[in-house]
Amino acid sequence: MDKNSRRDFIKKAGITGLGFALAPSLAFAGKKDGIVKLAFIGVGARGMNHLNNALQRDDVEITAICDISPKAIDNALKKFEKYGKKAPEVYGKNEKDYKNMLERKDVQGVIISTPWVWHTPMAVDTMKAGKYAGVEVSAAMTLEECWDLVNTHEETGSHCMILENVCYRRDVMAVLQMVREGLFGEMMHARCGYQHDLRHVKFNNGEQIYGGGVEFGEKAASEAKWRTHHSLHKNGDLYPTHGLGPVALYMDINRGNRFTSISSFATKSRGLNNYIIEKGGKDHPNAHLDWKLGDIVTSTITTANGETIIVTHDTNLPRPYSLGFRVQGTNGLWQHEDGYMGGNLMHIQGHTKDHHWDNADEWLNKYDHPLWQKYGEHATGAGHGGMDFFVMHEFVHAIRTQAAPPLDAYDAAAWSAVTPLSEMSIQEGGEPQSFPDFTRGKWFKRKPVFGFSQV
């Protein structure tokens, strides 16, 4: 599909979307009727959100859940009672009990919301069992794991969808419409990142998750049991996909373009140590730990088509939340700081005053994506501003139609590879690292699919 054809397609889709907006419906059956049978590995904080969204769908039956936390299982079962749904079979006797669940014939897709180190092994086992894997971010922690996702997909024919919800954020999808219609001209540059003060998440005392405690590991609860160890032992961009996923879609990564190299740098580490001293005192045992993760990690990525992307990881210092989006082409740019008054800006040559910003709201409303026009009413309350609805919806639709998901194993590998490659680059003083071509050359002919479905 050339650029002109793509623009015509988007315009027609936008007109169709206006019709959807007049009479939104939860008639999810689409071309192939039937109930999609799902299972869940991990029903803690993130998994519970996915579970809640799935339980509200009439086209989904949840046949099994797995978690090694009895408390998480109890909370999940209460959700089934709340929605009047049949209780699922429960697994979780040990860390490998999920494999027994994967043997079930009444499971077509599996949502994986577990600690990072389990994402790839569980996704691989799910695909080998002949089921769709929906894996939370990041999908992989090493280059070997990235290849495991791709190789397993190609060897088994089973699919893996990376559940990157920010790709479905309303403004992000509106900008995607603008990119595809050529409003920004030819893509040149983007900035993004994960800039989020997570000190209260990385530490807690096992009783109060938010605030107060400075324990992690076995003495802690929730994400502090596992997430904080990565900051102690790794120095790289540990969580790249929230910002990079949308930018990859804007630049047609793996579908006419690909990442080629990355160069990364990290500041010194002070934020976590200061937090421990502030909350627990300078004599607390954790105040003497040597944290490896630099407080701010900055990476520059190059692409085969000649664009650059700056990605920032910033989770250990006091700051407001922001993904720091900037999307720039030969004809203008969008720049956005989450939660900042006046920080949602647009400049389009020939439409906005020379050298001046325009408020982006009118532009984003004008180019509201057809999927949001159709399902925006139902996305309300689904989590993260409604974008969690679309992640579940697209996963279920892919299973029902036996189609490849819009965010596939190649995307999961390319986006997640930023973590190990940034680590390597920092270790080598910022030396550029080459991205593997996870598509093995298929990127040159693959066509963009994300956001084109109207089902």
Side-chain angles (χ1 to χ4, degrees):
M1 185 182 293
D2 61 30
K3 291 184 179 179
N4 291 330
S5 298
R6 197 175 302 162
R7 291 178 194 175
D8 291 341
F9 181 92
I10 289 290
K11 289 177 181 178
K12 293 176 183 177
I15 294 172
T16 305
L18 290 174
F20 291 150
L22 297 176
S25 169
L26 284 177
F28 293 119
K31 296 181 179 179
K32 294 189 178 180
D33 295 333
I35 302 298
V36 171
K37 296 183 178 182
L38 298 182
F40 285 72
I41 307 176
V43 287
R46 186 65 184 131
M48 182 64 76
N49 183 278
H50 286 309
L51 181 69
N52 191 64
N53 288 330
L55 283 169
Q56 295 181 64
R57 298 181 65 100
D58 293 333
D59 60 346
V60 167
E61 179 185 353
I62 301 170
T63 57
I65 59 174
C66 179
D67 202 299
I68 59 174
S69 166
K71 183 177 180 180
I73 291 292
D74 288 343
N75 290 337
L77 292 177
K78 290 176 182 176
K79 288 288 185 180
F80 283 82
E81 294 178 8
K82 174 183 176 181
Y83 291 106
K85 297 297 180 73
K86 180 183 176 181
E89 290 294 322
V90 173
Y91 295 79
K93 291 182 294 186
N94 54 56
E95 291 183 338
K96 297 298 180 69
D97 202 22
Y98 76 91
K99 293 188 176 184
N100 294 319
M101 188 184 76
L102 293 178
E103 295 178 1
R104 298 178 64 97
K105 302 298 183 183
D106 59 352
V107 172
Q108 296 170 281
V110 180
I111 299 290
I112 301 165
S113 307
T114 53
W116 296 337
V117 295
W118 286 100
H119 284 181
T120 297
M122 289 175 170
V124 165
D125 288 339
T126 297
M127 286 189 282
K128 286 182 177 179
K131 307 175 192 307
Y132 277 71
V135 62
E136 262 299 338
V137 300
S138 290
M141 297 299 293
T142 68
L143 287 181
E144 181 181 8
E145 287 186 338
C146 292
W147 279 113
D148 285 344
L149 292 173
V150 169
N151 291 337
T152 304
H153 160 62
E154 292 182 345
E155 291 165 4
T156 65
S158 299
H159 292 287
C160 177
M161 177 175 174
I162 182 171
L163 303 176
E164 181 43 77
N165 59 353
V166 179
C167 293
Y168 294 95
R169 207 170 83 174
R170 193 162 200 159
D171 58 344
V172 165
M173 294 194 75
V175 170
L176 179 63
Q177 288 280 93
M178 296 180 67
V179 168
R180 287 175 171 170
E181 288 203 38
L183 270 296
F184 298 106
E186 184 179 355
M187 282 291 95
M188 297 296 291
H189 176 72
R191 295 184 183 181
C192 60
Y194 190 64
Q195 302 170 126
H196 190 185
D197 183 357
L198 294 182
R199 295 172 300 168
H200 61 290
V201 173
K202 293 183 178 181
F203 297 105
N204 63 70
N205 58 13
E207 298 292 333
Q208 186 179 8
I209 293 178
Y210 292 100
V214 289
E215 296 292 354
F216 66 98
E218 292 303 316
K219 295 180 180 180
S222 192
E223 289 186 31
K225 293 181 74 71
W226 56 269
R227 186 168 189 157
T228 318
H229 281 293
H230 293 278
S231 300
L232 185 62
H233 299 292
K234 292 175 174 288
N235 192 13
D237 190 324
L238 302 182
Y239 205 61
T241 69
H242 279 336
L244 190 59
V247 167
L249 296 175
Y250 298 151
M251 294 186 177
D252 293 334
I253 298 302
N254 290 334
R255 297 178 183 274
N257 196 7
R258 76 177 189 91
F259 299 141
T260 51
S261 73
I262 182 172
S263 181
S264 303
F265 298 86
T267 69
K268 55 192 172 184
S269 177
R270 293 292 184 270
L272 297 184
N273 183 258
N274 291 344
Y275 185 81
I276 294 168
I277 293 174
E278 175 190 346
K279 299 292 185 180
K282 63 181 181 180
D283 295 326
H284 192 284
N286 289 341
H288 304 288
L289 295 174
D290 184 16
W291 298 93
K292 192 170 183 180
L293 178 64
D295 288 340
I296 300 175
V297 175
T298 306
S299 302
T300 299
I301 298 173
T302 62
T303 74
N305 288 352
E307 302 99 346
T308 57
I309 307 166
I310 296 176
V311 188
T312 303
H313 181 270
D314 174 3
T315 63
N316 295 343
L317 296 172
R319 59 156 301 127
Y321 173 87
S322 176
L323 298 183
F325 282 118
R326 173 175 163 184
V327 179
Q328 190 166 11
T330 54
N331 202 49
L333 73 161
W334 172 59
Q335 189 162 300
H336 184 258
E337 286 288 343
D338 299 78
Y340 177 69
M341 186 176 296
N344 194 14
L345 304 170
M346 193 78 69
H347 178 79
I348 304 296
Q349 183 173 261
H351 296 275
T352 56
K353 188 177 178 180
D354 288 350
H355 312 297
H356 285 76
W357 290 109
D358 202 359
N359 187 298
D361 291 344
E362 290 188 12
W363 289 93
L364 300 177
N365 290 334
K366 180 178 179 181
Y367 290 93
D368 193 27
H369 195 278
L371 281 175
W372 271 97
Q373 294 180 48
K374 182 178 182 181
Y375 292 119
E377 176 183 323
H378 306 295
T380 302
H384 293 92
M387 53 194 177
D388 287 348
F389 166 86
F390 292 97
V391 173
M392 179 62 65
H393 181 65
E394 296 276 72
F395 185 64
V396 170
H397 176 64
I399 296 172
R400 182 187 304 106
T401 57
Q402 293 296 288
L407 307 176
D408 60 19
Y410 302 109
D411 299 318
W415 304 353
S416 300
V418 168
T419 295
L421 291 173
S422 64
E423 288 183 76
M424 296 176 195
S425 180
I426 290 169
Q427 290 173 1
E428 297 179 15
E431 189 72 20
Q433 306 293 311
S434 296
F435 269 88
D437 176 10
F438 294 106
T439 72
R440 296 183 174 93
K442 292 191 290 290
W443 65 271
F444 195 74
K445 293 185 178 180
R446 297 177 87 221
K447 304 301 181 183
V449 297
F450 180 89
F452 286 114
S453 171
Q454 300 303 307
V455 179

